[in-house]
Amino acid sequence: MSRTDVETAGVGERPQPPRQPAARPSRPRPPLSREVVETRILGVLKWVTIAFFVIATIFPFYYMVMLSIRSIEDVALDPGALWPPRGISLAAFGEVLRSVDDGGQGFLTFLRNSALIAFTSVVVTLVVSILGAYAIARLEFFGRRQVHFLFLAVYLFPAILLAIPLFVFFTRIGLRGSLFGLILVYTSQIVPVTIHMLRNYFETVPESLEEAAALDGASRLTTIRKVALPLAMPAIMATSLFVFMIAWNEFLFALLFLVENRENWTVSLGLSQLAGSIEVAKTTLMAGSVILTIPIIVLFFATERLLVEGLTAGAEKG
Amino acid sequence: MREGPVVGAEEGPGDRTKAGDDRTRAAAGGKGPRPRRRGRTLAQQEARAGLTMLSPTLIVVLAMVVVPILWTIIISFQSLRLRNLRTRLFDFSFTFDNFQTVLTSAGFLEALKVTLIYSIVGTFLSIGLGLVAALVVRKPFKGRTLVRASMLLPYVAPVVAVTFVWQIMLNPELGVINAIGADWLGWKEPVAFLEQQSGTLSIFGFDLGVPTALIIVILYQAWRYFPFSFLFILARLQALPGELDEAARVDGATPLQRFWRITLPQLQGVIALLTVLRFIWTFNEFDDIYLLTQGGAGTEVVSVRVFRYLTGRGDIGAAAALSLVLALLLVVLLFLYFRFFVGRVEEADAI
């Protein structure tokens, strides 16, 4: 923005008569004050910018879908086409989804693995972090405040640093290649964040309801189950979605742990391995990308508001 | 400060002294609605319950995060390789060879430089884009929800899928970018964006040498991660009190003046937080670069190098040493940031 220096230079001087916005429409032609010029220019710029962002964010996904339904010969002939010119073909999807025995890439198995890993990670992470978050939000115990910083400090370390000893450890005990080991790793990496999200929410839920339940003789676990959990449902849903997306999208640990065992590949891993072989057409690769992306996009659009509110809870405070 | 459900209900807020606690605890133990275990105060019970409930978290994080970090330190002093894993794992004859290997190896300084450029420019760009995006969708308009959702797509979509789309878009033979460049912009030959270490960019007749692949990787990272900043800045923007802006408007401040003088200062906190978070994550980034270029064409960041040591050469010790160097460097950079930058901001605020 080249206008900034002009702007800051003029800030000190105040326009002499404080203009009344309400009085403006009565004047037939308002003089082109800076206010008017800026408002008009910014009004146009705003829409240009919105269009730019929408195109920049949506186009790659549109392109992905478009390539997945074109034949590779067609793409080679006319790479610049922005819509599928010669009809659509779903052959690439067939190839990706068919099992290896039928000459396909076996993505159905990968889908099953990814779903299994993602769902189990959600359940395990939720159980662990609901208990932990409730404890940190509600109960007084030694180290309650410190524990929080410890968890967040974990995020200073690169994932690749953690990957090394875990790789060694799982190789040594023979769990490398199993889905179980991967789920444990995901849970441990996500729990610090989900505890943070849930704790923030638990703290906004009024305590008096739980107190009433406790007075009526409910045990602590009953209180959590019958009172705190229903009240915290929005946050729990948002957290589940968050965990699901991370577990579904994850790549590095899946690559390190599962690569030698094709039966257990996730969709992300399967797709990345597919890209390595030369005989696989780019359109097939795009069909695989579409299959990998669709569950996430559907989930995201179905729950966008919930997710956004859950993720940024507490951010308003600055 | 919470004292737990029962105590809080029975006592007035002003009465929370130590003695008061004991009294209610005794009362709760004696004729409470539920028989309490003998000989334990409510505070002790609560502490026990708290730790019990937190223990699954503690165990998981301890076993899968804290112990591995400490173990990495040990491994970095061992001469451990993939092929001697079985025999050498518990051989604790410590050596500095790993550090010497990784610090003096060819390309280490280059990787460090690339990592710094990538994370500084990437952080700056992704926050900048996020700020602009948040400002344009700040006020309600028709279709705003859809626009906002579309802006979050790059961030929520699977990394493997989006890197592959970028690869194909930028492909010299099949990619749409080169096709557009050839058809509309008169490019004479296709540009291999992700394989070209340095290219020449002609602007107004000047030929500039540019690190093509690195620039693309940085642009990609800005594209993929601006939604994160966008989300947080937008949340903050919408929570800002309108009075200040309104007052400035009545006083005749133009929209740009209001942005620089009123809005931006109020976003300082969230932007500072985002700077730290994004810098940490970009600095440690692995997936995106590995999937886009495998660290080729001048885009090898340190974390990709760690991965190469680990899987390519099977040199576990060196990989651990290099990842520790990466982590230490990050700590130093963060320390400098907080010491010199944040300190100054706070001083400026005080004045």
Side-chain angles (χ1 to χ4, degrees):
Chain A
M1 279 197 206
S2 58
R3 226 182 295 117
T4 57
D5 37 352
V6 186
E7 273 317 311
T8 33
V11 162
E13 55 185 62
R14 222 161 246 182
Q16 293 80 18
R19 260 173 266 124
Q20 294 293 320
R24 219 186 291 152
S26 63
R27 263 184 271 169
R29 263 185 98 67
L32 278 179
S33 71
R34 233 166 76 180
E35 167 88 29
V36 176
V37 173
E38 274 185 20
T39 310
R40 278 190 196 159
I41 292 178
L42 287 175
V44 174
L45 265 184
K46 175 180 157 179
W47 291 104
V48 174
T49 317
I50 289 176
F52 165 78
F53 273 107
V54 170
I55 291 172
T57 49
I58 288 188
F59 179 74
F61 296 95
Y62 167 74
Y63 185 71
M64 183 200 290
V65 174
M66 198 193 68
L67 277 199
S68 72
I69 56 174
R70 288 174 70 184
S71 70
I72 185 71
E73 295 81 17
D74 186 34
V75 177
L77 274 178
D78 186 7
L82 293 180
W83 50 88
R86 284 180 217 148
I88 58 174
S89 110
L90 295 175
F93 284 95
E95 195 202 330
V96 167
L97 288 173
R98 267 199 307 275
S99 70
V100 184
D101 300 336
D102 296 339
Q105 302 293 344
F107 265 53
L108 273 184
T109 322
F110 303 161
L111 276 170
R112 198 204 61 203
N113 292 338
S114 279
L116 189 69
I117 290 179
F119 278 117
T120 321
S121 300
V122 168
V123 173
V124 178
T125 309
L126 272 190
V127 171
V128 170
S129 54
I130 285 174
L131 288 174
Y134 185 85
I136 295 181
R138 282 284 193 270
L139 306 175
E140 187 60 53
F141 56 89
F142 176 75
R144 171 185 165 195
R145 274 165 208 84
Q146 290 75 7
V147 102
H148 199 56
F149 288 105
L150 178 73
F151 287 170
L152 292 181
V154 161
Y155 277 79
L156 272 181
F157 294 93
I160 190 92
L161 184 149
L162 291 174
I164 298 166
L166 291 174
F167 180 81
V168 172
F169 176 67
F170 281 109
T171 309
R172 195 59 207 249
I173 64 168
L175 264 183
R176 189 151 70 86
S178 79
L179 299 184
F180 174 72
L182 200 61
I183 291 168
L184 264 187
V185 172
Y186 288 170
T187 305
S188 63
Q189 307 245 313
I190 308 172
V191 155
V193 185
T194 52
I195 285 207
H196 182 75
M197 288 168 74
L198 287 174
R199 187 200 68 146
N200 277 348
Y201 201 86
F202 276 133
E203 282 177 352
T204 64
V205 173
E207 221 174 322
S208 50
L209 288 168
E210 288 165 44
E211 288 161 5
L215 275 181
D216 285 346
S219 73
R220 191 160 271 133
L221 277 180
T222 316
T223 314
I224 295 180
R225 204 157 48 84
K226 294 269 171 73
V227 182
L229 280 195
L231 286 173
M233 225 31 185
I236 290 172
M237 285 302 295
T239 311
S240 315
L241 290 165
F242 177 72
V243 178
F244 186 91
M245 285 183 179
I246 289 190
W248 181 275
N249 293 350
E250 207 280 338
F251 171 67
L252 170 62
F253 284 95
L255 173 67
L256 277 174
F257 282 31
L258 303 180
V259 75
E260 283 146 32
N261 188 357
R262 190 180 169 120
E263 269 304 291
N264 280 349
W265 282 2
T266 61
V267 185
S268 283
L269 180 57
L271 191 59
S272 74
Q273 297 307 104
L274 202 62
S277 59
I278 312 153
E279 65 264 35
V280 174
K282 298 287 183 205
T283 47
T284 314
L285 214 57
M286 285 299 94
S289 300
V290 171
I291 291 170
L292 172 63
T293 312
I294 278 181
I296 291 297
I297 302 273
V298 169
L299 201 66
F300 171 69
F301 273 100
T303 59
E304 191 248 341
R305 257 189 71 191
L306 198 64
L307 194 68
V308 166
E309 279 162 17
L311 270 178
T312 53
E316 302 83 33
K317 286 177 272 179
Chain B
M1 278 281 261
R2 293 187 182 80
E3 304 280 1
V6 178
V7 174
E10 285 183 3
E11 284 206 333
D15 204 6
R16 291 190 176 181
T17 56
K18 203 72 205 146
D21 280 355
D22 286 338
R23 182 162 40 76
T24 19
R25 269 175 214 127
K31 53 177 177 63
R34 186 164 55 98
R36 306 276 187 194
R37 264 169 266 166
R38 266 176 296 121
R40 210 170 276 145
T41 64
L42 197 60
Q44 280 169 342
Q45 280 179 25
E46 193 175 304
R48 270 180 86 91
L51 283 177
T52 314
M53 286 166 70
L54 198 63
S55 57
T57 314
L58 285 177
I59 291 168
V60 168
V61 173
L62 216 63
M64 308 300 284
V65 180
V66 178
V67 170
I69 289 173
L70 300 177
W71 198 2
T72 306
I73 300 177
I74 296 177
I75 292 176
S76 68
F77 291 105
Q78 286 176 299
S79 55
L80 197 61
R81 284 166 191 275
L82 208 51
R83 53 186 153 75
N84 62 21
L85 193 57
R86 219 156 268 289
T87 52
R88 298 290 284 277
L89 188 55
F90 298 105
D91 175 13
F92 298 115
S93 47
F94 286 154
T95 164
F96 282 98
D97 288 355
N98 292 325
F99 286 97
Q100 204 184 354
T101 311
V102 298
L103 291 178
T104 58
S105 65
F108 167 70
L109 284 179
E110 181 64 24
L112 206 60
K113 198 180 90 188
V114 170
T115 309
L116 280 176
I117 296 175
Y118 174 69
S119 30
I120 292 172
V121 181
T123 302
F124 181 76
L125 274 183
S126 72
I127 296 179
L129 279 180
L131 176 64
V132 173
L135 286 171
V136 293
V137 302
R138 182 186 184 184
K139 300 217 175 69
F141 55 86
K142 211 167 172 231
R144 175 166 172 257
T145 318
L146 217 60
V147 168
R148 189 179 70 166
S150 86
M151 284 189 189
L152 296 175
L153 279 183
Y155 187 63
V156 296
V159 58
V160 180
V162 291
T163 46
F164 284 175
V165 177
W166 271 65
Q167 269 184 355
I168 294 179
M169 286 200 308
L170 298 167
N171 186 293
E173 288 94 37
L174 299 173
V176 65
I177 302 290
N178 271 305
I180 290 176
D183 290 351
W184 296 355
L185 305 175
W187 292 359
K188 283 177 200 73
E189 49 196 80
V191 186
F193 287 102
L194 291 167
E195 287 100 50
Q196 193 181 60
Q197 178 142 11
S198 58
T200 22
L201 186 69
S202 300
I203 305 175
F204 309 122
F206 292 102
D207 283 346
L208 283 173
V210 287
T212 317
L214 184 59
I215 289 178
I216 296 293
V217 168
I218 291 174
L219 285 180
Y220 164 87
Q221 116 73 48
W223 174 82
R224 179 155 152 79
Y225 293 103
F226 89 85
F228 184 81
S229 312
F230 162 70
L231 213 57
F232 279 79
I233 294 175
L234 187 63
R236 182 83 189 103
L237 265 180
Q238 282 170 341
L240 289 185
E243 294 89 3
L244 276 176
D245 201 56
E246 187 57 27
R249 207 170 66 85
V250 170
D251 279 352
T254 66
L256 278 175
Q257 286 174 329
R258 274 182 274 141
F259 169 70
W260 286 110
R261 295 281 157 152
I262 310 286
T263 313
L264 198 57
Q266 293 183 86
L267 295 178
Q268 215 174 45
V270 71
I271 289 177
L273 175 74
L274 284 170
T275 309
V276 174
L277 287 179
R278 286 273 12 119
F279 186 80
I280 293 176
W281 289 333
T282 318
F283 195 77
N284 291 333
E285 184 58 67
F286 167 82
D287 296 2
D288 297 283
I289 291 194
Y290 178 77
L291 285 165
L292 272 180
T293 66
Q294 282 80 48
T299 59
E300 192 187 56
V301 290
V302 177
S303 61
V304 171
R305 223 174 145 76
V306 174
F307 183 81
R308 289 245 173 98
Y309 274 113
L310 185 63
T311 58
R313 306 186 196 179
D315 193 342
I316 302 177
L322 188 56
S323 71
L324 272 185
V325 171
L326 186 68
L328 279 180
L329 204 67
L330 181 61
V331 170
V332 170
L333 288 173
L334 285 180
F335 174 79
L336 290 177
Y337 174 79
F338 281 111
R339 179 80 182 71
F340 292 106
F341 190 73
V342 176
R344 253 184 231 160
V345 170
E346 271 161 15
E347 273 165 34
D349 274 355
I351 299 164

